[in-house]
Amino acid sequence: MEIELAQLLTALRSEIDRARISALDQDVRFRINSIDLELQVAVEKSAEANAGVKFWVISIGGKAAAKSVGTHIVRLSLNAETASGEQVLTGDDISNLVSEG
């Protein structure tokens, strides 16, 4: 299974939102100061005119590791913040994440 780096970050963002929602009525909340990821990625450059370079996250046991592409370790340190620039706490006001109805 090949996962693009953008898909991984989208899934991470979704999981953080789920943690915020599930902690809504909890007494204990966690502040997310930073998220440190270490990923093994395959870098693939396509010869097609507008394809460019893609970064694929390699899963353990995945077929992507068998390809003849270069693999690299990428370390990301992300700071979690809301769209307004505030720190993220699990159990924060999540009214913008929960659909009304």
Side-chain angles (χ1 to χ4, degrees):
M1 173 186 352
E2 295 178 338
I3 302 169
E4 288 188 24
L5 185 57
Q7 290 172 313
L8 175 99
L9 294 176
T10 298
L12 176 63
R13 199 174 293 115
S14 176
E15 288 297 310
I16 291 170
D17 283 346
R18 281 183 2 134
R20 291 173 68 192
I21 292 168
S22 68
L24 182 61
D25 294 323
Q26 301 295 316
D27 286 336
V28 177
R29 299 185 304 168
F30 300 105
R31 176 177 292 128
I32 302 173
N33 292 323
S34 72
I35 302 165
D36 297 319
L37 301 173
E38 184 171 310
L39 310 166
Q40 186 174 14
V41 298
V43 181
E44 187 174 46
K45 183 176 181 181
S46 177
E48 296 175 16
N50 58 359
V53 176
K54 290 192 177 186
F55 290 85
W56 301 95
V57 177
I58 298 189
S59 60
I60 296 175
K63 293 180 182 178
K67 287 186 175 182
S68 60
V69 294
T71 59
H72 306 276
I73 300 293
V74 174
R75 290 179 185 88
L76 301 174
S77 183
L78 308 171
N79 290 320
E81 60 183 44
T82 65
S84 61
E86 298 172 14
Q87 286 186 321
V88 173
L89 295 174
T90 60
D92 270 349
D93 173 22
I94 44 99
S95 57
N96 62 330
L97 302 176
V98 179
S99 61
E100 295 180 20

